[in-house]
Amino acid sequence: EVQLVQSGAEVKKPGESLKISCKGSGHSFTSYWIGWVRQMPGKGLEWMGIIYPGDSDTRYSPSFQGQVTISADKSISTAYLQWSSLKASDTAIYYCARHPRDVLAGTFFHPDYWGQGTLVTVSS
Amino acid sequence: SYELTQPPSVSVSPGQTARITCSGDALPKKYASWYQQKSGQAPVLVIYEDTKRPSGIPERFSGSSSGTVATLTISGARVEDEADYYCYSTDSSDNHSVLFGGGTKLTVL
């Protein structure tokens, strides 16, 4: 069974750093892309960026470039999303999702499996 | 910048057919997929590559695409289908930019 299990809820202060995780199981972690999606309170889904753990190829949405860092440790089948200095506006649920690989195009297809989400609350 | 446009809300009575549209200039060239998100839960894939249904998704869910509009159809909608629905696609540039539609709240009552 394919599973993406995310780390637990976090409460942080503005200016603090944070790294949340997404651990994959039930599939070959290095053969799929892992993307991150933000959902602010009461709002829709926003695609943030994606990583291919097989070679660490990483791509960001222009809206999130420079705001977050996506990484992965293939030895433990885990992808990460991190912030160096949180803002109150980063308060949201963050989802990871698996994207099958488009070998011909060198990109990725739609997300097919999702993690359960990690709630990040940033408040002074 | 490229956008996928969905109606904010659709309302039907149980047993009726619900249709949710997603408009985007690149849709004639790019596939759309659809996600169901019930309150407090993670999204679930219900349609991919415009018309394909993953295993475990009821047959009442179907998808179609014509020109710049992709459509999710729920035939004989049930109360348990009440959720937010999001379309997903990419633009036609070399950047392979990804985005979601703004979401549609489906009410079944």
Side-chain angles (χ1 to χ4, degrees), chain A residues 45-110:
Chain A
L45 306 175
E46 299 174 271
W47 192 81
M48 302 174 70
I50 197 166
I51 187 165
Y52 184 67
D55 63 7
S56 294
D57 185 0
T58 307
R59 306 177 191 187
Y60 294 92
S61 162
S63 300
F64 292 93
Q65 179 84 47
Q67 308 304 309
V68 296
T69 301
I70 294 171
S71 60
D73 184 341
K74 62 185 179 183
S75 69
I76 55 172
S77 301
T78 301
Y80 302 97
L81 178 66
Q82 69 180 86
W83 295 259
S84 59
S85 180
L86 286 160
K87 302 185 282 286
S89 57
D90 292 318
T91 295
I93 297 173
Y94 293 87
Y95 293 100
C96 64
R98 188 186 84 161
H99 293 244
R101 190 174 164 211
D102 183 348
V103 176
L104 288 178
T107 58
F108 45 88
F109 294 114
H110 60 279

Side-chain angles (χ1 to χ4, degrees), chain B residues 30-52:
Chain B
K30 297 293 183 180
Y31 286 126
S33 54
W34 291 92
Y35 298 86
Q36 176 194 68
Q37 186 180 34
K38 295 184 178 179
S39 181
Q41 297 183 21
V44 172
L45 177 67
V46 294
I47 293 291
Y48 67 99
E49 292 181 4
D50 292 343
T51 61
K52 297 177 181 177

Side-chain angles (χ1 to χ4, degrees), chain B residues 16-103:
Chain B
Q16 289 189 326
T17 296
R19 294 183 179 84
I20 300 172
T21 58
C22 173
S23 300
D25 288 342
L27 290 179
K29 302 178 186 175
K30 297 293 183 180
Y31 286 126
S33 54
W34 291 92
Y35 298 86
Q36 176 194 68
Q37 186 180 34
K38 295 184 178 179
S39 181
Q41 297 183 21
V44 172
L45 177 67
V46 294
I47 293 291
Y48 67 99
E49 292 181 4
D50 292 343
T51 61
K52 297 177 181 177
R53 193 174 53 247
S55 61
I57 300 301
E59 290 185 10
R60 63 181 181 274
F61 289 87
S62 63
S64 62
S65 187
S66 179
T68 60
V69 180
T71 303
L72 172 68
T73 301
I74 307 172
S75 303
R78 299 185 179 185
V79 172
E80 60 259 35
D81 298 331
E82 189 163 292
D84 294 322
Y85 290 84
Y86 295 91
C87 61
Y88 165 104
S89 189
T90 58
D91 71 5
S92 54
S93 74
D94 292 339
N95 292 331
H96 194 70
S97 295
V98 170
L99 75 161
F100 290 94

